[in-house]
Amino acid sequence: MGKKILIVDDEPNIVISLEFLMRKEGFEVAVAGDGEEALAKVASFAPDLVLLDVMMPKKSGFEVCEALRADPDKSELKIVMLTAKGRDTEVAKGLAIGANAYVTKPFSTKDLVARVKTMLEGA
């Protein structure tokens, strides 16, 4: 079975393009539109990697990342934070709370797919 990716973003256009892209690469995909839904989907879908937007309703990507990292059962889960906020302080915060990578929008879909594949090959 292919690797599983959870896409967490509140912008439908981004979700649609990422979902299409990841399915095309052979990944099994689930989607969540806010932070609370993301945590529920991680529990039910058990993804190998989460593409996590930072600015979302209910819980931010930072809060979701912190919650996942606090759970010993989720320690192997790969987290890629996606955000329009690319300032050094945001990048440092994302990596400090446990994200495996930090990608700023707009991003190259080709580069993102390559990064996801690289991260999952080590898993």
Side-chain angles (χ1 to χ4, degrees):
M1 184 189 266
K3 297 282 187 181
K4 300 193 318 188
I5 295 179
L6 175 62
I7 298 167
V8 185
D9 203 308
D10 59 333
E11 291 180 44
N13 293 343
I14 291 175
V15 170
I16 289 165
S17 63
L18 286 175
E19 189 174 8
F20 173 79
L21 199 66
M22 296 303 163
R23 285 190 199 281
K24 196 174 113 208
E25 293 297 328
F27 296 111
E28 192 178 332
V29 178
V31 173
D34 63 57
E36 286 180 4
E37 188 184 355
L39 293 173
K41 282 273 169 73
V42 166
S44 63
F45 182 64
D48 298 292
L49 183 141
V50 179
L51 293 173
L52 183 60
D53 185 25
V54 171
M55 297 177 44
M56 292 183 299
K58 298 186 182 170
K59 281 188 188 302
S60 74
F62 290 134
E63 292 171 303
V64 171
C65 186
E66 286 175 321
L68 293 173
R69 287 299 178 236
D71 183 343
D73 294 338
K74 308 287 184 289
S75 63
E76 296 300 306
L77 182 61
K78 304 277 189 250
I79 299 173
V80 178
M81 305 210 70
L82 300 175
T83 185
K85 291 183 148 194
R87 294 202 324 256
D88 291 346
T89 51
E90 271 95 20
V91 174
K93 179 178 179 180
L95 296 174
I97 61 173
N100 299 89
Y102 202 100
V103 177
T104 53
K105 297 174 186 175
F107 49 81
S108 154
T109 52
K110 196 173 111 192
D111 290 349
L112 182 64
V113 167
R115 183 174 281 199
V116 163
K117 285 182 165 178
T118 302
M119 290 175 74
L120 290 175
E121 280 165 11

